Every structure is written in C-alpha cells, then in structure tokens.
Amino acid sequence: MLTTSVPPPPFSRLPPLPTFPPSISPEPLTPTLAAQKQVAELCLSQHEIAARAEPHRTFPFDRVAHAEFLAGALEKYPWQFQVQDASRPWLVYWAVAGLSALGEELEDVEDWRDGLVATFKPCQNLDGGFGGGYGQLSHLATSYAAVLSLIASEKEECYRMIDTRAMWHYLGRMKQPHGPFTMCAGGEVDVRGAFCALVIISLLGLPLELPQDAPARKSGCDNFLTNLGEWIGKCQTYEGGLGSSPGNEAHGAYTFCGLGSLCIMGTPSKTVKKFLDVDLITKWLSARQYAPEGGMAGRTNKLVDGCYSHWIGGCWPLMDAAMQDESPNSSKRDYWSREGLLRYIFNCCQEDGGGLRDKPGKRADAYHTNYNIAGLSWVQNKYSFSEPKDGEGVASGLAPAHGWDYKPVVDIPGLPDGRVNPHHPVYVIPWTAAAKAQAWFGANRAMAR
Amino acid sequence: MVDYGSDPAWSDVVPIVQLDGGPNALAQIAYSDEYSEAMSYLRALMAANELSDRVLSLTENIIRINPAHYTVWLYRARVLLDQNRDLRSEIEWLNPIALKYLKNYQIWQHRQTIVDKLDDPTGEQEFIRTMLEKDTKNYHVWSYRHWLVKRFNLFNKGELEETERMLDEDIRNNSAWNHRWFVVFSQDDSVWKDPGIVNRETQFAKSKIQLAPQNESAWNYLRGILRNSGTPGSAIMGFVLQFAPIDEPEKIRSSHALDLLADIFRELGHIEDAERALDLLANIYDPIRENYWTYRKDKLVISVDS
Ligand SMILES: [Zn+2]
C-alpha cells in the first residue's frame, strides 16, 4: 500500500534538454523547431521556479480549485457557449470523470449524480443512441460520453435509462462490413468509432452478434468484431503509432482508441500482439515524451500538450498489460518516465485559480482538466491484466473490466498530496464504476432477440 | 437575421422548442433567441423529414452561428444529395467558412460527401494548399487530402512535388512526411520490389537527414523504408556513423542515429556495441527515455540467450 515515508528524489532526475555539440551543418530553424524551442524554454523555467519555491520540488496540486473548476463546468453557460451545443455530453463526461478522480465533495455544490437522467433524457433518441442534445442525431461520440457519464454515477436509475436493446440495434447500423464503425450515419469512419462502440458493448454486456437489421449483414458480416482487429492493424503507420484510418498520420488520440479497442476485444497480451507491431508502437509511444518539458506530444515533431497526458500516457497501462508476460521482469518494468509527466502536469498545466491546461500560456478547460487528471492516474499506478477464468468474460468473450488490477507507485515526488482516485485504464471512469456496471447489466440482461 | 415566427414563408411550420431537462440538467446553455428559434424550426423540419430549399437557408443560418453542429451539416448534406442541387455553389459557399473556422472538422466530412457526389476533384488540390498554408499540420485537412487522392487516383498528379515543396518550407512537418509515404508506398505492395523507387526515397530521406540530423520525421521515414524493403541496417551503417560516431561520443549529432545504430549492432550480433549506444542514449542524449533504453538493452540479452 501507499507509504508516505519515501523522500522525493532530487530535481536532477528530470533530465535537461539534450544539447548537441555544434554540428557541421547547423540545424535549420524552421517553424516547427522555433516553436519547440520556445515551449521547451517556457516549461524549463516553470520547472526551475517550482524547484526553487517548494521542498517537494513541484508546484503543489491544487485539488480543491480544480474540483471547483470542474463543478463550474456543470453549471449553466452563457449564450457565447452555444457553439458547444453539440458537445454537451462531453462537457458532462469530462467534469464527472475528473470530479470522481479528485474525490472532492464540495460544499454548496449539488451532487452531479442527481442531474444525469434529466440531462441525458432529451439527448436520447428512439433509435437507441444519444445525440448532443434534444433533436440532435445519434452519434457514437456523444453516445460514448453519455453512457460513461451515466455509468460513472454507479446509480441504478442511471443504468435503467439506457435502452440496451435499441442501443444494440443502433450500434449494428454503425458497423461497416470491412471492419470499422462510422461515427454516425453519413459521417466519418475512423478508429474512434470502434473504441466508442466497443466501450458501450462491453459495459452494457450487449451481444457480439450483429442484429438482424444491421446493413453489414448483407455483406456477410455477422459479428461486431468481424474484420475489426485487422482493420485496426492497418491503422498502424510506418512510424508505429495509429492514425485515424489506414494511411493517416500516427496520432496519440487515435492510438489510444486503437489500443483500447484491442484491450476490450480480448486478453491484451494476445490481441495487441496479434494485430500490432509491438516493438514499433512501443518505440513511437516512448518518443512522444520530451525533455525538459516532461510531458507528451501527440505526433512526431509536435509540441507537448496536457491532454496527451492521457492519450499517450494512457497507452502505457495498456502496453504494460500487452507486454506483461514478455520476461520475468516485465511486471516491474516501466517504459516511460512517470516523474517527467508528473512534473509537466503539476508545474506546467495547473492554472492559477483552478483548472488544467494544454501548456503554459493557454487557458484551462474541462477537456484538458479531465485528461490531465487521467494522466495522474496513469502516472501514479501500475496496471496489469489477468485473464478471466472460464465464464467470467462479458458479452461472449470480451475482456472484463474486473480483469484489470493496479498497484500504487510510491517513489515519485509530489505525493501523497497530489494523489487521485485511480481510473480504469480502458474506460477512463472510476475504478469501481466500470466493473459494477458490467455486473449489473450482466445480471439484468433481458434482451429479446 | 431571419425572424421565422413572422415570416410568411415559414408560417406553415410549428416549431419544436428546446427540451433541456429542467432545472436539474447539467451544463445547460442560455441560448441566444436567434439560435434558439432557428433550432426550433430545424427540429420541426427534421421531424417532418422535409428536404426542401428552405432547409438549405435555415441550415446556412445555423452553421453561421454554430459551425460545430454535426446534425445540421448531416441534414444539409441529405437535402443537397436528395435532388440535383448545385453542388459547385455549395463548395464555393464552403471555402470561406473553412478558412474562417480552421479547427472545425465537420466541414471536411461535409466537403467529402459533396465532392464524392460531384465526382470531380477540380480545384480541390488548390484549396487544400490554401488551407495548409494557414495551418500546415491540420489533421482533418490531411485526412481529406488522403481521401481525395485515393478517390480520384491523384497519386501521380503533383502530390509528390507538393510534399517536397512543403518539406522545403519546414523539414520537420511530419504530416508532409506521412503524406509522402502515403503517395509513394500505399498504392501497391509491389512498390517494395521496385529498386528505383526504394532507392529514390532512401536518397530523399538521407538528403533531408544531412540538412537536419536531429529531425525524427526523416529518420522514421528512412527506417520505414529499410524495414519494408527488407534492407539490412548494415547497408547504411556508414551513413549512420556520420551522425553517431560512437567511438567519439562527444561528436554525436543525432539521438535518432544512435538509436538506429544500436539496432544495426544488434542485427550484426555486436551486443556490447549495441549496449554502448543505448547507454549513451539513456545517460546523455535522450535521458527522459531512460526506462525505454534500458528495456531495449535488456531485450538484447534476452535475444542472445534464446
Ligand atoms: Zn490538447
């Protein structure tokens, strides 16, 4: 368990910017390099100020201010925010996931759990999916955000409002015969669609068999997983990460969605190895972490950004599970710098007065607040997966949420003050919520075919 | 601004007002009257499944207020595809909106739907170029470009030259590198058996590395070629050593060269040299990735044992 007696290691463990001797042909200063140098200097100065001011050598984690910021994100917005009208389920998901991880009960703030059903009823369509608001078309992204928010509450009244049978039919209509899913009827086909659909299928315990009215059946496709692993494999680029669809540039968010999908489809050490080049993705993920910033960038030669604390940082728990049987050492091994990311989040992403952000100089928002907090969960815990015994899987053989386990990591600075409640590495909601939902939906499965 | 409530052209429509879940609902928005009214009329038209010209004017108004509204775009596309509408003028209407809202992505899915139906890519490459001048790494624009190239078989229609031009402007633009890979290598696997193309691309990557040895994009491209063409790393060992002279570590100019060198040594069975390269990465040249380099070192031993 967690011990507090371990002293923080010295600041020098965060390595400095590699400085190369003058080269024969000096590196040309292009827009990419100029921006990179500027951000590196900005972050280094943040690290230096933090190390001067405080014995733990990071800025303290301002838990209450961040919780207040997220609670504020659930309040009423002025009209200028109507450009977010199609993203309200996301705003709710970011806030409730972040608040659950912070575990902060705020006085004078009504419990968000009581507002969920009222919020999502108008978004729910007869076709089974959720749209961004009343009268908006069903969309896999908003369905994902709505289902996760409802499940994060751990309340039965929230479970009950999801129409599982209609949802099953809706997802069936999104399945494409060549493997992936479209985000909505007439919308884009990319790896987010697969991840959103699989998260919903596995949490609600829906059958993997496609409903009879699924159009993909006409092409001989009878299962949600048909051709899916192969298609995700094709999203892996020559660099090692995954793009949104085959041929597109490797990108952190799509890589998380692809890996997450494979980690739902079966035991990660089998599915990830079967469909991806593991050496290549490990190398690419590793190269996304920069010094002296310590944070993660989403693509090659792009800048660090707090949301990739999750999109890249969150790939590491999944890769840990994928590689846990490689050698006797594997379960103890780390492939990345937890300390570097922790420092980036604490020193560079906290906005004075609450909320977390992309990088110094940017404004905090609910999205970056949630995904930085999720990053803390990946930094602070070591995750693993144990294959379920027979019959313990969900929806005919998917990897169950409770197959995952975590152990808190103790020897990083800034703790225990900055510790958050651990998220589930696949579902990115509180640890207990995912397994509890699977158990409830499993026991209440009354799906007439 | 249109006042739908008093406009005779809309008098037959009974608007469906916003249902926002009552006082308990979270993250509600205090919509402007203008947006609220327009949305109420849109809900009514959608409920009646109306595919008329007035849908186009209504969706145009809503998009002006909220361009991130996927439902409005999708419904507009349905109307446009429903009968023979003028899709050219739709593209002309879209252009300034795309340039105004650079980060909006619904617009690119819409464009794809329209251009697909038009069955004609005229002007698209030029417009993409204008967009990328404003935002050189915009993921949605690059994705649209991939779709366009594939849909209309534009692989040999100036795309290669375009990536070269963009890399001349910024040698580290990884989106341009990725597009080059897509244009050259994604059409047909037989390209890997064409020594002319494999050599040309190898030389291209090498020449860019000469200009900026610490540019990861160029090294990733080069390594992708080696791996897919089955070329052993030892074939370019002399080139790599220029940037990572391991016997004179103070002269090393590229961590990526050192990384590749470690793999070449492993391939040749020179385990101690590979360890030396990985130690330099862990301790001096890329220490934030120390854990990864240590893992690579441990794997050397495992692969020797087995
Ligand atoms: Zn971000």
Side-chain angles (χ1 to χ4, degrees):
Chain A
M1 265 318 286
L2 174 64
T3 58
T4 55
S5 59
V6 185
F11 180 62
S12 62
R13 269 188 57 189
L14 185 75
L17 184 68
T19 46
F20 294 90
S23 50
I24 301 156
S25 50
E27 299 263 318
L29 193 69
T30 66
T32 296
L33 189 58
Q36 170 56 31
K37 283 189 163 166
Q38 199 187 0
V39 170
E41 277 163 26
L42 195 60
C43 293
L44 186 59
S45 77
Q46 291 286 110
H47 290 321
E48 283 168 356
I49 297 166
R52 238 187 288 139
E54 206 261 335
H56 278 261
R57 297 171 189 209
T58 64
F59 291 134
F61 187 59
D62 203 347
R63 180 189 300 273
V64 175
H66 301 322
E68 277 166 358
F69 181 87
L70 287 175
L74 293 172
E75 300 280 301
K76 193 151 187 153
Y77 289 84
W79 69 269
Q80 290 88 340
F81 283 80
Q82 60 198 10
V83 290
Q84 306 248 33
D85 192 24
S87 317
R88 275 184 56 231
W90 278 117
L91 288 170
V92 173
Y93 165 69
W94 296 325
V96 307
L99 280 170
S100 316
L102 293 176
E104 197 67 32
E105 297 300 331
L106 296 169
E107 286 170 38
D108 307 327
V109 173
E110 284 197 47
D111 193 342
W112 51 266
R113 290 170 190 83
D114 298 334
L116 289 171
V117 172
T119 306
F120 289 117
K121 260 286 173 238
C123 305
Q124 191 173 28
N125 289 312
L126 288 173
D127 67 8
F130 291 84
Y134 181 53
Q136 299 188 30
L137 298 171
S138 293
H139 195 285
L140 273 179
T142 43
S143 297
Y144 166 90
V147 167
L148 282 183
S149 305
L150 290 165
I151 281 176
S153 73
E154 305 189 30
K155 284 176 81 163
E156 238 182 89
E157 82 169 305
C158 291
Y159 297 164
R160 284 188 197 282
M161 81 159 276
I162 302 170
D163 184 341
T164 49
R165 182 178 157 76
M167 179 65 86
W168 179 56
H169 282 272
Y170 166 65
L171 295 176
R173 283 191 292 280
M174 300 299 110
K175 171 74 179 177
Q176 305 295 300
H178 65 296
F181 290 75
T182 181
M183 293 301 289
C184 56
E188 59 274 28
V189 174
D190 65 41
V191 70
R192 287 176 310 157
F195 182 62
C196 293
L198 286 176
V199 162
I200 296 170
I201 289 168
S202 78
L203 286 175
L204 305 185
L206 305 180
L208 284 181
E209 186 193 339
L210 281 177
Q212 287 303 326
D213 60 355
R217 275 197 175 267
K218 293 199 189 77
S219 315
C221 182
D222 58 8
N223 190 290
F224 280 112
L225 304 188
T226 308
N227 298 329
L228 182 56
E230 290 79 5
W231 186 85
I232 291 172
K234 282 188 206 152
C235 293
Q236 187 174 30
T237 79
Y238 66 95
E239 295 196 274
L242 278 67
S244 56
S245 59
N248 284 329
E249 186 182 3
H251 183 292
Y254 298 111
T255 302
F256 178 82
C257 289
L259 265 180
S261 301
L262 294 174
C263 288
I264 291 172
M265 288 165 64
T267 302
S269 59
K270 291 179 183 154
T271 49
V272 174
K273 280 188 186 142
K274 181 171 176 196
F275 295 113
L276 297 178
D277 181 331
V278 170
D279 284 347
L280 208 56
I281 191 173
T282 308
K283 181 195 182 71
W284 181 84
L285 285 169
S286 153
R288 303 283 59 77
Q289 190 166 22
Y290 296 173
E293 301 94 310
M296 313 294 203
R299 303 182 239 166
T300 303
N301 276 330
K302 291 274 282 178
L303 303 170
V304 290
D305 174 344
C307 63
Y308 294 105
S309 306
H310 166 65
W311 299 120
I312 296 287
C315 286
W316 287 120
L318 308 179
M319 290 304 295
D320 276 339
M323 300 201 280
Q324 65 188 21
D325 310 324
E326 272 206 349
S327 75
N329 259 339
S330 297
S331 59
K332 289 182 223 108
R333 182 187 289 290
D334 273 331
Y335 304 91
W336 58 299
S337 169
R338 294 174 187 274
E339 185 183 317
L341 182 56
L342 191 88
R343 279 178 193 280
Y344 181 70
I345 296 171
F346 282 2
N347 290 346
C348 300
C349 294
Q350 298 192 79
E351 186 165 294
D352 288 343
L356 292 111
R357 62 192 174 194
D358 166 345
K359 59 174 68 64
K362 301 267 183 175
R363 293 294 303 273
D365 55 38
Y367 167 82
H368 285 93
T369 302
N370 176 51
Y371 288 123
N372 269 304
I373 291 171
L376 290 178
S377 190
W378 319 136
V379 164
Q380 295 170 358
N381 302 285
K382 175 82 178 167
Y383 289 83
S384 60
F385 183 85
S386 334
E387 197 155 352
K389 293 181 197 76
D390 282 347
E392 271 189 348
V394 290
S396 30
L398 297 182
H402 65 73
W404 290 85
D405 198 5
Y406 70 92
K407 281 199 178 66
V409 175
V410 291
D411 59 344
I412 33 178
L415 300 180
D417 306 353
R419 202 171 270 285
V420 299
N421 295 329
H423 270 316
H424 192 285
V426 174
Y427 302 104
V428 203
I429 51 175
W431 185 263
T432 46
K436 200 168 158 182
Q438 274 184 353
W440 190 89
F441 283 102
N444 290 272
R445 196 173 294 152
M447 300 238 335
R449 296 287 172 84
Chain B
M1 182 180 159
V2 187
D3 183 357
Y4 295 97
S6 56
D7 187 334
W10 293 87
S11 60
D12 60 316
V13 181
V14 181
I16 301 178
V17 295
Q18 170 79 19
L19 242 179
D20 56 9
N24 267 346
L26 307 166
Q28 293 188 48
I29 300 169
Y31 304 106
S32 65
D33 292 345
E34 182 190 12
Y35 181 71
S36 204
E37 186 183 42
M39 282 304 296
S40 298
Y41 278 82
L42 181 79
R43 279 186 286 267
L45 295 191
M46 286 179 71
N49 206 15
E50 180 174 320
L51 303 175
S52 65
D53 282 341
R54 66 181 177 182
V55 171
L56 296 179
S57 75
L58 178 61
T59 51
E60 184 174 332
N61 278 341
I62 298 173
I63 284 166
R64 241 179 235 138
I65 307 171
N66 178 9
H69 207 314
Y70 66 87
T71 299
V72 180
W73 285 107
L74 287 165
Y75 191 47
R76 183 179 176 85
R78 265 192 68 197
V79 175
L80 285 165
L81 300 192
D82 175 56
Q83 288 156 34
N84 284 333
R85 314 262 169 183
D86 182 2
L87 299 179
R88 269 287 152 219
S89 65
E90 179 72 1
I91 294 290
E92 269 146 39
W93 174 73
L94 275 176
N95 288 350
I97 301 180
L99 290 166
K100 184 171 175 194
Y101 301 103
L102 289 176
K103 299 294 175 196
N104 178 288
Y105 68 88
Q106 285 85 1
I107 220 170
W108 294 96
Q109 178 59 32
H110 185 72
R111 196 176 187 104
Q112 184 172 322
T113 306
I114 303 301
V115 171
D116 188 43
K117 176 79 177 182
L118 259 176
D119 198 24
D120 175 10
T122 305
E124 289 307 283
Q125 285 168 300
E126 292 71 20
F127 184 68
I128 288 170
R129 183 172 174 162
T130 310
M131 263 311 282
L132 291 178
E133 269 164 21
K134 289 184 176 279
D135 189 3
T136 56
K137 300 174 183 178
N138 186 311
Y139 202 86
H140 305 292
V141 179
W142 283 105
S143 302
Y144 173 68
R145 185 178 198 157
H146 287 203
W147 172 81
L148 189 82
V149 168
K150 217 167 160 172
R151 166 71 173 77
F152 297 101
N153 193 14
L154 305 176
F155 289 95
N156 299 316
K157 296 275 168 29
E159 289 294 304
L160 196 67
E161 294 76 6
E162 189 63 6
T163 64
E164 201 151 343
R165 188 187 64 78
M166 289 194 74
L167 290 174
D168 283 344
E169 276 169 22
D170 189 343
I171 202 169
R172 296 176 186 80
N173 183 342
N174 197 59
S175 303
W177 281 100
N178 183 76
H179 190 65
R180 188 174 178 97
W181 182 281
F182 174 78
V183 169
V184 176
F185 296 117
S186 75
Q187 273 188 89
D188 182 355
D189 272 350
S190 67
V191 68
W192 295 111
K193 299 201 180 70
D194 183 336
I197 290 178
V198 171
N199 284 338
R200 182 193 74 198
E201 292 305 304
T202 305
Q203 288 313 318
F204 180 80
K206 282 181 171 178
S207 70
K208 298 296 177 199
I209 288 170
Q210 293 281 11
L211 293 173
Q214 187 55 13
N215 174 16
E216 187 190 350
S217 297
W219 287 101
N220 285 351
Y221 195 83
L222 179 64
R223 296 191 68 150
I225 297 173
L226 295 177
R227 193 171 52 248
N228 282 281
S229 64
T231 311
S234 53
I236 61 159
M237 188 158 175
F239 175 79
V240 179
L241 279 169
Q242 284 178 57
F243 309 101
I246 190 150
D247 293 326
E248 296 170 278
E250 68 287 352
K251 290 190 180 161
I252 287 169
R253 286 191 287 148
S254 167
S255 63
H256 309 296
L258 205 49
D259 175 1
L260 176 52
L261 193 63
D263 278 339
I264 296 174
F265 282 137
R266 179 185 47 100
E267 197 181 285
L268 295 170
H270 300 171
I271 300 304
E272 278 173 23
D273 288 332
E275 284 178 338
R276 203 146 56 94
L278 293 167
D279 280 337
L280 282 169
L281 284 161
N283 299 327
I284 299 172
Y285 289 106
D286 198 3
I288 192 140
R289 297 168 69 193
E290 180 186 357
N291 284 333
Y292 172 72
W293 304 121
T294 306
Y295 161 68
R296 286 264 300 270
K297 244 174 86 173
D298 293 352
K299 268 183 74 146
L300 293 172
V301 184
I302 296 167
S303 61
V304 169
D305 287 350
S306 58

